Amino acid sequence: MTDRLTPDQTLAAGSEIASPNGQHRAVMQGDGNFVVYRANGTPKWATGTDGRAIGGIIMQGDGNLVMYDSNGPVWASGTDGHPGAVLVMQDDGNLVIYGVDGTPLWATGTNITMMRVTGFLPTMNGFHFSNAFAHAPDIQINILGQNVAIGDAANGLCGGMAFAARDFFQAGQRPPARKDSPTSGVLFDLLVRRLFDSFEIPVGPARYAALMSPDLPDHETALSEIGLAPHGRAWVTIVEEWPKIRAGIDGGMPMPMALILIKDRDVFQMGNNHQVLAYGYDMDGNDLSILVYDPNCPDDNNVRINLDLGNPRQTTRMWHSHIDSARKEVVENVFAFFSQGYAFIMPPAIPTPDPAAVERSFKITNATPGDQLVKVFNPGDTAMLAPLPAGEFNVPPNQFGTWVFHKMLSQVRLTANDRFLGLASPGDAITITGDDTVEFRNTGQLAMPVRVYKATDDLMWVTLPGGQFTVGAGEIFRYTIPADVTTIKAIINGQRSNAVRGQVIIF
C-alpha cells in the first residue's frame, strides 16, 4: 500500500492510501466521501461529499486534487497551477499536497503531536531475543555446601530486559546481537539482576498489589474524590503516572513502565503482569498512543499502549497492541500502568556466546498437553536414583528446557514424569511426544471429587500418588499416570471409569 497519489493518479472508490507507520489512512469511500482516519477508526477530516455517485478522487497533473460526479467537479483542493504536485498521507496524521520544490500547498491540518527518544528503536536498542527462557533458576545461593535455586527464568525476565535495554542505551552501547535467549553467563546474570532491581522491593510489590486488587475501582468514587479512599485505576494512570513517563520521554530517555494485566487478590499472581520500556508517544487531542519496546515482541517498532486521557474520573479503556506474524492486530486489555524507579548501572562487557557451551547442552521440548518433570542422571546410574546437579526441572506444554553437560560427561540418562526416555548426548534436540496423562473433563454444573486407583486394585484401599482431587464445574484436570502403571480406574461421584494414557474422561 502506498502513502501518496502522484500526478494524474486516481484513488478509486473503496481504496485508500496509508501513512508509512500504519497509523493513519485516507480512504475514498464507496459513499462518495473522502475521509482521513486514525488507526483506531476515528475519522478526523472529510470532504463531506457522502451521498454522491463519485468513482474516485484524482491528483491532477495541474496540481489540483479533485472529485467529480457525472455533472462535474464536486470538491477540489484549489491547488491548480502547480504541475507535478503530490498528495501524501504523513506519519504525523496530516494529509498534505506538496509542490515539486517541497513546498506544502494544502493540508487537512490533522497532524498530531509526535515525540520520540532520539536514537532509540527496538530494532536497534532492544534485545533481539524474546522473553522466553528455558527453565533455569534465576539465582542460586550456596547454603551449607548445597546450591539452592531461587526463581525460574521460564516465568520471564521482562523487567530485567527493559531495565538492561535502557542501561545499554544510556551507556551509548548496543545490546548483544544474539537472537537466542541466554540460559547462563554474564548477560543472563545482568538480566536477572535488573529484574530484581525492577521489583523496587518493598515499594514495587505493594504498587502491583494495590492496582491488581479487584477491590480497587477503575473509576473515581465519592470517597476518592474527597481523599478518603484510594483513587481509581484510571486516575492513577492518567493523572499520576503518565505525566512522569511523558516527562522522561520529553527529556530524551526511554522510561520503564509496569502494565497491570490482571485483577486478583492473590499476590502470587503478580508475575502475570508485564514490564516494557516506553520510548515515544503520539498525542491526538486526548487520544494517546505510547510506543514501547516490549521484550515479548523483539525487533518490533510498532508495539503500543493506547488510551484516552479525556476523563480520568471514569473507567478508561487501555490496551496493548501489536501486529503478529500473520499481519493481524493483537490486542490485550491493560487495566493500569505506572512508571518504575530506575537507576543506571554500567552494563558489563558481554562476551560472545561460546559455541562450545551450546554444543555441550541438549534441548528438550514438551509436545504433550501436560507438564513434564524431566530428570537427568549419570549414564552409569541405571537405577536412576539421584539426578545430577540442576538435573531436575519441569517443562510445561509447548515449552522447552536445556541442560548443560559437565565437562567430564558425554552422555546422560533422561526420564520425563519418571518414564525412561533414553540416553542424550551434547547437541541433541529431544521432543517428548508421549502423553502420559488422563484428561478429566467436567461438563456438569457441580464440582466432582475424583479418586484414582490401579485398575487391578479391586479393593481400592490406596489411591495412586496425587490420585485424589476435585474437578470444578466446567473445568479440566490432567492426571499423570505413574510410570509403573498401565491402566487406571477412576471413581467419579460413585461411577467407575477405566483409562489409559492419552484418554479423555468426560462427565
Side-chain angles (χ1 to χ4, degrees):
M1 184 179 296
T2 183
D3 64 342
R4 63 193 59 207
L5 284 182
T6 56
D8 296 318
Q9 187 176 10
T10 297
L11 188 67
S15 301
E16 63 184 58
I17 57 175
S19 60
N21 64 7
Q23 296 300 302
H24 317 279
R25 301 177 299 133
V27 182
M28 184 62 238
Q29 299 183 167
D31 65 358
N33 212 8
F34 185 48
V35 187
V36 173
Y37 287 98
R38 297 295 188 241
N40 61 6
T42 303
K44 302 303 295 186
W45 176 89
T47 54
T49 51
D50 48 306
R52 304 287 191 96
I54 298 172
I57 187 167
I58 180 171
M59 187 68 238
Q60 297 184 160
D62 65 358
N64 209 9
L65 181 68
V66 188
M67 302 169 70
Y68 295 89
D69 67 7
S70 57
N71 296 317
V74 297
W75 182 92
S77 61
T79 51
D80 51 304
H82 296 86
V86 296
L87 175 72
V88 181
M89 184 72 257
Q90 299 183 159
D91 276 345
D92 66 357
N94 211 10
L95 185 65
V96 185
I97 296 176
Y98 287 99
V100 292
D101 60 354
T103 302
L105 306 175
W106 173 91
T108 55
T110 51
N111 49 302
I112 63 177
T113 300
M114 300 178 68
M115 181 62 69
R116 304 289 185 269
V117 172
T118 303
F120 188 98
L121 275 177
T123 48
M124 295 191 304
N125 306 100
F127 293 99
H128 305 292
F129 50 82
S130 181
N131 180 35
F133 295 85
H135 286 273
D138 286 341
I139 57 174
Q140 294 194 44
I141 300 175
N142 188 286
I143 300 177
L144 301 178
Q146 296 292 319
N147 283 332
V148 178
I150 298 178
D152 186 349
N155 294 330
L157 303 175
C158 56
M161 293 175 72
F163 270 49
R166 173 160 170 179
D167 291 337
F168 279 104
F169 177 75
Q170 198 162 327
Q173 303 175 21
R174 293 281 182 89
R178 63 186 293 171
K179 294 190 175 183
D180 62 309
S181 302
T183 57
S184 61
V186 177
L187 178 56
F188 181 81
D189 292 344
L190 171 65
L191 299 181
V192 169
R193 173 187 172 182
R194 297 306 269 154
L195 173 69
F196 281 91
D197 291 341
S198 76
F199 290 159
E200 299 181 84
I201 296 173
V203 177
R207 298 175 81 187
Y208 279 106
L211 289 171
M212 281 169 52
S213 173
D215 301 321
L216 181 70
D218 292 314
H219 54 81
E220 292 302 279
T221 64
L223 291 178
S224 68
E225 293 276 12
I226 59 175
L228 296 180
H231 287 294
R233 291 184 186 85
W235 181 278
V236 171
T237 300
I238 295 170
V239 177
E240 298 177 3
E241 298 301 325
W242 164 239
K244 301 174 189 174
I245 296 167
R246 179 177 184 174
I249 295 172
D250 290 347
M253 279 297 167
M255 295 291 290
M257 54 190 285
L259 309 182
I260 302 299
L261 304 181
I262 63 168
K263 295 180 182 179
D264 202 310
R265 294 184 183 87
D266 183 1
V267 294
F268 291 102
Q269 301 303 313
M270 199 174 297
N272 290 317
N273 296 301
H274 193 37
Q275 292 162 284
V276 296
L277 187 66
Y279 66 92
Y281 62 86
D282 295 341
M283 189 89 73
D284 182 11
N286 288 322
D287 290 334
L288 171 65
S289 187
I290 308 170
L291 284 92
V292 299
Y293 158 56
D294 187 336
N296 289 346
C297 305
D299 293 329
D300 190 336
N301 294 337
N302 288 299
V303 185
R304 294 170 177 263
I305 309 299
N306 310 281
L307 68 154
D308 184 336
L309 302 175
N311 196 341
R313 289 181 170 81
Q314 299 298 320
T315 299
T316 298
R317 184 191 174 216
M318 310 175 204
W319 69 99
H320 170 290
S321 65
H322 72 279
I323 305 298
D324 67 8
S325 58
R327 305 306 301 164
K328 294 182 179 179
E329 185 177 25
V330 178
V331 175
E332 181 178 19
N333 286 331
V334 176
F335 295 112
F337 60 75
F338 61 88
S339 63
Q340 296 185 276
Y342 167 88
F344 171 73
I345 68 168
M346 177 61 70
I350 307 296
T352 302
D354 177 11
V358 177
E359 293 173 0
R360 290 198 305 270
S361 66
F362 70 77
K363 178 179 179 180
I364 185 163
T365 301
N366 180 7
T368 76
D371 285 2
Q372 296 287 335
L373 179 62
V374 175
K375 296 180 183 178
V376 185
F377 301 90
N378 190 296
D381 184 3
T382 56
M384 295 180 289
L385 297 176
L388 290 165
E392 186 171 344
F393 50 91
N394 187 63
V395 183
N398 301 314
Q399 293 194 30
F400 69 91
T402 61
W403 190 81
V404 178
F405 281 77
H406 304 167
K407 293 183 179 179
M408 301 303 293
L409 283 176
S410 60
Q411 204 171 53
V412 292
R413 289 178 178 268
L414 292 182
T415 65
N417 286 349
D418 294 323
R419 289 182 297 110
F420 181 57
L421 296 181
L423 298 174
S425 301
D428 282 354
I430 302 156
T431 301
I432 307 171
T433 57
D435 183 4
D436 55 356
T437 66
V438 173
E439 179 180 302
F440 291 87
R441 188 180 300 172
N442 183 357
T443 59
Q445 301 297 315
L446 299 174
M448 289 291 180
V450 178
R451 288 175 289 123
V452 180
Y453 304 86
K454 285 184 178 180
T456 56
D457 184 1
D458 294 328
L459 297 178
M460 295 183 291
W461 280 353
V462 181
T463 58
L464 287 169
Q468 192 164 342
F469 48 87
T470 298
V471 185
E475 294 184 352
I476 292 174
F477 182 86
R478 288 189 175 275
Y479 175 73
T480 300
I481 298 179
D484 60 344
V485 176
T486 302
T487 306
I488 64 167
K489 62 181 171 186
I491 308 301
I492 308 167
N493 198 27
Q495 300 296 314
R496 170 176 169 168
S497 295
N498 281 19
V500 295
R501 288 176 172 81
Q503 191 167 332
V504 178
I505 298 176
I506 301 175
F507 52 93

